[in-house]
PDB file of all heavy atoms in Angstrom:
ATOM      1  N   ASN S   7      -1.573  17.942   0.248  1.00 77.00           N
ATOM      2  CA  ASN S   7      -0.735  19.114   0.403  1.00 77.00           C
ATOM      3  C   ASN S   7      -1.016  19.792   1.740  1.00 77.00           C
ATOM      4  O   ASN S   7      -2.107  20.290   1.978  1.00 77.00           O
ATOM      5  CB  ASN S   7      -1.000  20.083  -0.758  1.00 77.00           C
ATOM      6  CG  ASN S   7      -0.050  21.251  -0.749  1.00 77.00           C
ATOM      7  OD1 ASN S   7      -0.009  22.019   0.195  1.00 77.00           O
ATOM      8  ND2 ASN S   7       0.702  21.371  -1.839  1.00 77.00           N
ATOM      9  N   LYS S   8      -0.036  19.804   2.622  1.00 77.00           N
ATOM     10  CA  LYS S   8      -0.204  20.350   3.975  1.00 77.00           C
ATOM     11  C   LYS S   8      -0.506  21.840   3.932  1.00 77.00           C
ATOM     12  O   LYS S   8      -1.330  22.341   4.691  1.00 77.00           O
ATOM     13  CB  LYS S   8       1.073  20.093   4.781  1.00 77.00           C
ATOM     14  CG  LYS S   8       1.024  20.604   6.216  1.00 77.00           C
ATOM     15  CD  LYS S   8       0.019  19.828   7.033  1.00 77.00           C
ATOM     16  CE  LYS S   8       0.254  20.017   8.528  1.00 77.00           C
ATOM     17  NZ  LYS S   8       0.209  21.415   8.945  1.00 77.00           N
ATOM     18  N   GLN S   9       0.149  22.577   3.052  1.00 78.00           N
ATOM     19  CA  GLN S   9      -0.065  24.005   2.960  1.00 78.00           C
ATOM     20  C   GLN S   9      -1.502  24.322   2.531  1.00 78.00           C
ATOM     21  O   GLN S   9      -2.126  25.262   3.014  1.00 78.00           O
ATOM     22  CB  GLN S   9       0.918  24.619   1.960  1.00 78.00           C
ATOM     23  CG  GLN S   9       0.875  26.149   1.910  1.00 78.00           C
ATOM     24  CD  GLN S   9       1.245  26.776   3.241  1.00 78.00           C
ATOM     25  OE1 GLN S   9       2.259  26.427   3.839  1.00 78.00           O
ATOM     26  NE2 GLN S   9       0.412  27.696   3.710  1.00 78.00           N
ATOM     27  N   GLU S  10      -2.024  23.504   1.628  1.00 78.00           N
ATOM     28  CA  GLU S  10      -3.407  23.676   1.162  1.00 78.00           C
ATOM     29  C   GLU S  10      -4.388  23.511   2.317  1.00 78.00           C
ATOM     30  O   GLU S  10      -5.346  24.281   2.461  1.00 78.00           O
ATOM     31  CB  GLU S  10      -3.687  22.651   0.065  1.00 78.00           C
ATOM     32  CG  GLU S  10      -5.076  22.710  -0.542  1.00 78.00           C
ATOM     33  CD  GLU S  10      -5.280  21.641  -1.584  1.00 78.00           C
ATOM     34  OE1 GLU S  10      -4.558  21.661  -2.595  1.00 78.00           O
ATOM     35  OE2 GLU S  10      -6.157  20.770  -1.373  1.00 78.00           O
ATOM     36  N   TYR S  11      -4.153  22.499   3.130  1.00 77.00           N
ATOM     37  CA  TYR S  11      -5.023  22.265   4.292  1.00 77.00           C
ATOM     38  C   TYR S  11      -4.919  23.404   5.294  1.00 77.00           C
ATOM     39  O   TYR S  11      -5.923  23.888   5.816  1.00 77.00           O
ATOM     40  CB  TYR S  11      -4.646  20.947   4.959  1.00 77.00           C
ATOM     41  CG  TYR S  11      -5.283  20.760   6.323  1.00 77.00           C
ATOM     42  CD1 TYR S  11      -6.635  20.437   6.435  1.00 77.00           C
ATOM     43  CD2 TYR S  11      -4.543  20.947   7.487  1.00 77.00           C
ATOM     44  CE1 TYR S  11      -7.225  20.285   7.678  1.00 77.00           C
ATOM     45  CE2 TYR S  11      -5.133  20.803   8.736  1.00 77.00           C
ATOM     46  CZ  TYR S  11      -6.467  20.468   8.824  1.00 77.00           C
ATOM     47  OH  TYR S  11      -7.052  20.319  10.064  1.00 77.00           O
ATOM     48  N   ASP S  12      -3.688  23.846   5.591  1.00 73.00           N
ATOM     49  CA  ASP S  12      -3.485  24.929   6.552  1.00 73.00           C
ATOM     50  C   ASP S  12      -4.192  26.203   6.106  1.00 73.00           C
ATOM     51  O   ASP S  12      -4.797  26.911   6.921  1.00 73.00           O
ATOM     52  CB  ASP S  12      -1.992  25.204   6.732  1.00 73.00           C
ATOM     53  CG  ASP S  12      -1.286  24.100   7.502  1.00 73.00           C
ATOM     54  OD1 ASP S  12      -1.996  23.305   8.152  1.00 73.00           O
ATOM     55  OD2 ASP S  12      -0.046  24.027   7.447  1.00 73.00           O
ATOM     56  N   ASN S  13      -4.140  26.491   4.825  1.00 74.00           N
ATOM     57  CA  ASN S  13      -4.809  27.689   4.300  1.00 74.00           C
ATOM     58  C   ASN S  13      -6.326  27.573   4.441  1.00 74.00           C
ATOM     59  O   ASN S  13      -7.006  28.541   4.781  1.00 74.00           O
ATOM     60  CB  ASN S  13      -4.439  27.899   2.830  1.00 74.00           C
ATOM     61  CG  ASN S  13      -3.000  28.330   2.650  1.00 74.00           C
ATOM     62  OD1 ASN S  13      -2.378  28.824   3.591  1.00 74.00           O
ATOM     63  ND2 ASN S  13      -2.462  28.133   1.450  1.00 74.00           N
ATOM     64  N   ALA S  14      -6.856  26.369   4.143  1.00 71.00           N
ATOM     65  CA  ALA S  14      -8.306  26.159   4.255  1.00 71.00           C
ATOM     66  C   ALA S  14      -8.754  26.285   5.709  1.00 71.00           C
ATOM     67  O   ALA S  14      -9.807  26.859   6.006  1.00 71.00           O
ATOM     68  CB  ALA S  14      -8.679  24.788   3.702  1.00 71.00           C
ATOM     69  N   LEU S  15      -7.959  25.754   6.629  1.00 73.00           N
ATOM     70  CA  LEU S  15      -8.308  25.823   8.051  1.00 73.00           C
ATOM     71  C   LEU S  15      -8.241  27.262   8.557  1.00 73.00           C
ATOM     72  O   LEU S  15      -9.100  27.696   9.332  1.00 73.00           O
ATOM     73  CB  LEU S  15      -7.358  24.946   8.857  1.00 73.00           C
ATOM     74  CG  LEU S  15      -7.642  24.861  10.365  1.00 73.00           C
ATOM     75  CD1 LEU S  15      -9.035  24.286  10.610  1.00 73.00           C
ATOM     76  CD2 LEU S  15      -6.572  24.019  11.057  1.00 73.00           C
ATOM     77  N   LYS S  16      -7.240  28.000   8.101  1.00 76.00           N
ATOM     78  CA  LYS S  16      -7.122  29.400   8.489  1.00 76.00           C
ATOM     79  C   LYS S  16      -8.332  30.200   8.012  1.00 76.00           C
ATOM     80  O   LYS S  16      -8.885  31.028   8.750  1.00 76.00           O
ATOM     81  CB  LYS S  16      -5.836  29.986   7.909  1.00 76.00           C
ATOM     82  CG  LYS S  16      -5.590  31.437   8.288  1.00 76.00           C
ATOM     83  CD  LYS S  16      -4.294  31.942   7.692  1.00 76.00           C
ATOM     84  CE  LYS S  16      -4.047  33.402   8.067  1.00 76.00           C
ATOM     85  NZ  LYS S  16      -2.775  33.896   7.462  1.00 76.00           N
ATOM     86  N   ASP S  17      -8.761  29.942   6.788  1.00 75.00           N
ATOM     87  CA  ASP S  17      -9.928  30.633   6.228  1.00 75.00           C
ATOM     88  C   ASP S  17     -11.201  30.271   6.994  1.00 75.00           C
ATOM     89  O   ASP S  17     -12.038  31.137   7.273  1.00 75.00           O
ATOM     90  CB  ASP S  17     -10.077  30.271   4.751  1.00 75.00           C
ATOM     91  CG  ASP S  17     -11.217  31.023   4.088  1.00 75.00           C
ATOM     92  OD1 ASP S  17     -11.185  32.253   4.071  1.00 75.00           O
ATOM     93  OD2 ASP S  17     -12.151  30.356   3.589  1.00 75.00           O
ATOM     94  N   TYR S  18     -11.340  29.002   7.338  1.00 77.00           N
ATOM     95  CA  TYR S  18     -12.500  28.540   8.110  1.00 77.00           C
ATOM     96  C   TYR S  18     -12.554  29.238   9.467  1.00 77.00           C
ATOM     97  O   TYR S  18     -13.607  29.753   9.879  1.00 77.00           O
ATOM     98  CB  TYR S  18     -12.430  27.032   8.301  1.00 77.00           C
ATOM     99  CG  TYR S  18     -13.419  26.485   9.312  1.00 77.00           C
ATOM    100  CD1 TYR S  18     -14.745  26.246   8.961  1.00 77.00           C
ATOM    101  CD2 TYR S  18     -13.019  26.237  10.628  1.00 77.00           C
ATOM    102  CE1 TYR S  18     -15.651  25.765   9.886  1.00 77.00           C
ATOM    103  CE2 TYR S  18     -13.922  25.752  11.564  1.00 77.00           C
ATOM    104  CZ  TYR S  18     -15.233  25.517  11.194  1.00 77.00           C
ATOM    105  OH  TYR S  18     -16.129  25.034  12.130  1.00 77.00           O
ATOM    106  N   ASN S  19     -11.431  29.272  10.172  1.00 76.00           N
ATOM    107  CA  ASN S  19     -11.388  29.897  11.505  1.00 76.00           C
ATOM    108  C   ASN S  19     -11.716  31.381  11.430  1.00 76.00           C
ATOM    109  O   ASN S  19     -12.385  31.926  12.317  1.00 76.00           O
ATOM    110  CB  ASN S  19     -10.015  29.689  12.143  1.00 76.00           C
ATOM    111  CG  ASN S  19      -9.791  28.254  12.580  1.00 76.00           C
ATOM    112  OD1 ASN S  19     -10.736  27.532  12.884  1.00 76.00           O
ATOM    113  ND2 ASN S  19      -8.538  27.830  12.615  1.00 76.00           N
ATOM    114  N   GLN S  20     -11.270  32.044  10.365  1.00 74.00           N
ATOM    115  CA  GLN S  20     -11.556  33.463  10.202  1.00 74.00           C
ATOM    116  C   GLN S  20     -13.049  33.692   9.972  1.00 74.00           C
ATOM    117  O   GLN S  20     -13.642  34.625  10.535  1.00 74.00           O
ATOM    118  CB  GLN S  20     -10.753  34.026   9.036  1.00 74.00           C
ATOM    119  CG  GLN S  20     -10.902  35.537   8.848  1.00 74.00           C
ATOM    120  CD  GLN S  20     -10.427  36.314  10.049  1.00 74.00           C
ATOM    121  OE1 GLN S  20      -9.283  36.195  10.456  1.00 74.00           O
ATOM    122  NE2 GLN S  20     -11.304  37.120  10.643  1.00 74.00           N
ATOM    123  N   GLN S  21     -13.663  32.850   9.155  1.00 78.00           N
ATOM    124  CA  GLN S  21     -15.102  32.978   8.906  1.00 78.00           C
ATOM    125  C   GLN S  21     -15.911  32.755  10.182  1.00 78.00           C
ATOM    126  O   GLN S  21     -16.879  33.476  10.445  1.00 78.00           O
ATOM    127  CB  GLN S  21     -15.531  31.978   7.829  1.00 78.00           C
ATOM    128  CG  GLN S  21     -15.015  32.280   6.433  1.00 78.00           C
ATOM    129  CD  GLN S  21     -15.519  31.281   5.416  1.00 78.00           C
ATOM    130  OE1 GLN S  21     -16.724  31.168   5.176  1.00 78.00           O
ATOM    131  NE2 GLN S  21     -14.611  30.525   4.815  1.00 78.00           N
ATOM    132  N   MET S  22     -15.522  31.752  10.963  1.00 79.00           N
ATOM    133  CA  MET S  22     -16.241  31.481  12.207  1.00 79.00           C
ATOM    134  C   MET S  22     -16.063  32.617  13.208  1.00 79.00           C
ATOM    135  O   MET S  22     -16.994  32.974  13.938  1.00 79.00           O
ATOM    136  CB  MET S  22     -15.763  30.161  12.812  1.00 79.00           C
ATOM    137  CG  MET S  22     -16.116  28.930  11.981  1.00 79.00           C
ATOM    138  SD  MET S  22     -17.893  28.767  11.650  1.00 79.00           S
ATOM    139  CE  MET S  22     -18.514  28.454  13.302  1.00 79.00           C
ATOM    140  N   GLN S  23     -14.866  33.192  13.239  1.00 83.00           N
ATOM    141  CA  GLN S  23     -14.633  34.325  14.130  1.00 83.00           C
ATOM    142  C   GLN S  23     -15.494  35.513  13.721  1.00 83.00           C
ATOM    143  O   GLN S  23     -16.063  36.209  14.576  1.00 83.00           O
ATOM    144  CB  GLN S  23     -13.156  34.711  14.118  1.00 83.00           C
ATOM    145  CG  GLN S  23     -12.829  35.865  15.075  1.00 83.00           C
ATOM    146  CD  GLN S  23     -11.348  36.206  15.087  1.00 83.00           C
ATOM    147  OE1 GLN S  23     -10.535  35.520  14.478  1.00 83.00           O
ATOM    148  NE2 GLN S  23     -11.007  37.279  15.769  1.00 83.00           N
ATOM    149  N   ASN S  24     -15.592  35.748  12.427  1.00 81.00           N
ATOM    150  CA  ASN S  24     -16.430  36.851  11.942  1.00 81.00           C
ATOM    151  C   ASN S  24     -17.891  36.635  12.319  1.00 81.00           C
ATOM    152  O   ASN S  24     -18.597  37.580  12.708  1.00 81.00           O
ATOM    153  CB  ASN S  24     -16.307  36.980  10.423  1.00 81.00           C
ATOM    154  CG  ASN S  24     -14.930  37.440   9.981  1.00 81.00           C
ATOM    155  OD1 ASN S  24     -14.165  37.981  10.775  1.00 81.00           O
ATOM    156  ND2 ASN S  24     -14.602  37.221   8.714  1.00 81.00           N
ATOM    157  N   LEU S  25     -18.382  35.395  12.185  1.00 80.00           N
ATOM    158  CA  LEU S  25     -19.772  35.101  12.500  1.00 80.00           C
ATOM    159  C   LEU S  25     -20.070  35.231  13.985  1.00 80.00           C
ATOM    160  O   LEU S  25     -21.223  35.449  14.379  1.00 80.00           O
ATOM    161  CB  LEU S  25     -20.138  33.686  12.032  1.00 80.00           C
ATOM    162  CG  LEU S  25     -20.376  33.507  10.533  1.00 80.00           C
ATOM    163  CD1 LEU S  25     -20.533  32.033  10.199  1.00 80.00           C
ATOM    164  CD2 LEU S  25     -21.599  34.296  10.086  1.00 80.00           C
ATOM    165  N   SER S  26     -19.050  35.082  14.817  1.00 87.00           N
ATOM    166  CA  SER S  26     -19.259  35.191  16.261  1.00 87.00           C
ATOM    167  C   SER S  26     -19.343  36.646  16.717  1.00 87.00           C
ATOM    168  O   SER S  26     -19.680  36.926  17.875  1.00 87.00           O
ATOM    169  CB  SER S  26     -18.128  34.480  17.020  1.00 87.00           C
ATOM    170  OG  SER S  26     -16.901  35.166  16.858  1.00 87.00           O
ATOM    171  N   GLN S  27     -19.031  37.574  15.812  1.00 93.00           N
ATOM    172  CA  GLN S  27     -19.147  38.999  16.106  1.00 93.00           C
ATOM    173  C   GLN S  27     -20.554  39.489  15.740  1.00 93.00           C
ATOM    174  O   GLN S  27     -21.284  38.836  15.006  1.00 93.00           O
ATOM    175  CB  GLN S  27     -18.095  39.788  15.315  1.00 93.00           C
ATOM    176  CG  GLN S  27     -16.666  39.311  15.509  1.00 93.00           C
ATOM    177  CD  GLN S  27     -16.219  39.354  16.947  1.00 93.00           C
ATOM    178  OE1 GLN S  27     -16.407  40.359  17.631  1.00 93.00           O
ATOM    179  NE2 GLN S  27     -15.615  38.265  17.420  1.00 93.00           N
ATOM    180  N   ASP S  28     -20.914  40.657  16.247  1.00 95.00           N
ATOM    181  CA  ASP S  28     -22.238  41.218  15.975  1.00 95.00           C
ATOM    182  C   ASP S  28     -22.475  41.414  14.478  1.00 95.00           C
ATOM    183  O   ASP S  28     -21.634  41.992  13.774  1.00 95.00           O
ATOM    184  CB  ASP S  28     -22.399  42.569  16.680  1.00 95.00           C
ATOM    185  CG  ASP S  28     -22.722  42.412  18.150  1.00 95.00           C
ATOM    186  OD1 ASP S  28     -23.013  41.277  18.577  1.00 95.00           O
ATOM    187  OD2 ASP S  28     -22.676  43.425  18.881  1.00 95.00           O
ATOM    188  N   GLN S  29     -23.615  40.921  14.021  1.00 94.00           N
ATOM    189  CA  GLN S  29     -24.088  41.129  12.664  1.00 94.00           C
ATOM    190  C   GLN S  29     -25.389  41.942  12.745  1.00 94.00           C
ATOM    191  O   GLN S  29     -26.155  41.783  13.688  1.00 94.00           O
ATOM    192  CB  GLN S  29     -24.389  39.791  11.967  1.00 94.00           C
ATOM    193  CG  GLN S  29     -23.395  38.687  12.228  1.00 94.00           C
ATOM    194  CD  GLN S  29     -22.127  38.848  11.455  1.00 94.00           C
ATOM    195  OE1 GLN S  29     -22.155  39.187  10.275  1.00 94.00           O
ATOM    196  NE2 GLN S  29     -20.989  38.615  12.101  1.00 94.00           N
ATOM    197  N   ILE S  30     -25.643  42.781  11.767  1.00 97.00           N
ATOM    198  CA  ILE S  30     -26.878  43.575  11.744  1.00 97.00           C
ATOM    199  C   ILE S  30     -27.706  43.173  10.529  1.00 97.00           C
ATOM    200  O   ILE S  30     -27.234  43.246   9.399  1.00 97.00           O
ATOM    201  CB  ILE S  30     -26.598  45.086  11.682  1.00 97.00           C
ATOM    202  CG1 ILE S  30     -25.660  45.523  12.813  1.00 97.00           C
ATOM    203  CG2 ILE S  30     -27.915  45.862  11.732  1.00 97.00           C
ATOM    204  CD1 ILE S  30     -26.245  45.365  14.188  1.00 97.00           C
ATOM    205  N   LYS S  31     -28.937  42.721  10.795  1.00 97.00           N
ATOM    206  CA  LYS S  31     -29.858  42.412   9.696  1.00 97.00           C
ATOM    207  C   LYS S  31     -30.903  43.527   9.621  1.00 97.00           C
ATOM    208  O   LYS S  31     -31.638  43.779  10.577  1.00 97.00           O
ATOM    209  CB  LYS S  31     -30.555  41.063   9.934  1.00 97.00           C
ATOM    210  CG  LYS S  31     -31.676  40.749   8.925  1.00 97.00           C
ATOM    211  CD  LYS S  31     -31.155  40.671   7.484  1.00 97.00           C
ATOM    212  CE  LYS S  31     -32.265  40.408   6.480  1.00 97.00           C
ATOM    213  NZ  LYS S  31     -32.688  39.020   6.419  1.00 97.00           N
ATOM    214  N   HIS S  32     -30.949  44.197   8.489  1.00 98.00           N
ATOM    215  CA  HIS S  32     -31.961  45.226   8.265  1.00 98.00           C
ATOM    216  C   HIS S  32     -33.016  44.688   7.313  1.00 98.00           C
ATOM    217  O   HIS S  32     -32.685  44.078   6.296  1.00 98.00           O
ATOM    218  CB  HIS S  32     -31.348  46.495   7.686  1.00 98.00           C
ATOM    219  CG  HIS S  32     -32.366  47.538   7.326  1.00 98.00           C
ATOM    220  ND1 HIS S  32     -33.007  48.301   8.280  1.00 98.00           N
ATOM    221  CD2 HIS S  32     -32.888  47.915   6.129  1.00 98.00           C
ATOM    222  CE1 HIS S  32     -33.880  49.110   7.676  1.00 98.00           C
ATOM    223  NE2 HIS S  32     -33.818  48.889   6.375  1.00 98.00           N
ATOM    224  N   ASP S  33     -34.261  44.894   7.649  1.00 98.00           N
ATOM    225  CA  ASP S  33     -35.357  44.460   6.783  1.00 98.00           C
ATOM    226  C   ASP S  33     -36.492  45.469   6.907  1.00 98.00           C
ATOM    227  O   ASP S  33     -36.591  46.214   7.903  1.00 98.00           O
ATOM    228  CB  ASP S  33     -35.833  43.066   7.188  1.00 98.00           C
ATOM    229  CG  ASP S  33     -36.486  42.312   6.028  1.00 98.00           C
ATOM    230  OD1 ASP S  33     -36.772  42.941   5.004  1.00 98.00           O
ATOM    231  OD2 ASP S  33     -36.715  41.094   6.167  1.00 98.00           O
TER     232      ASP S  33
END
Side-chain angles (χ1 to χ4, degrees):
N7 187 299
K8 180 67 162 57
Q9 187 62 50
E10 181 182 298
Y11 168 75
D12 288 343
N13 290 340
L15 183 60
K16 182 179 180 181
D17 184 60
Y18 168 81
N19 288 333
Q20 184 61 58
Q21 291 182 63
M22 293 304 293
Q23 182 178 354
N24 292 342
L25 283 172
S26 68
Q27 306 302 312
D28 281 350
Q29 319 283 317
I30 306 295
K31 172 61 182 281
H32 175 75
D33 205 348

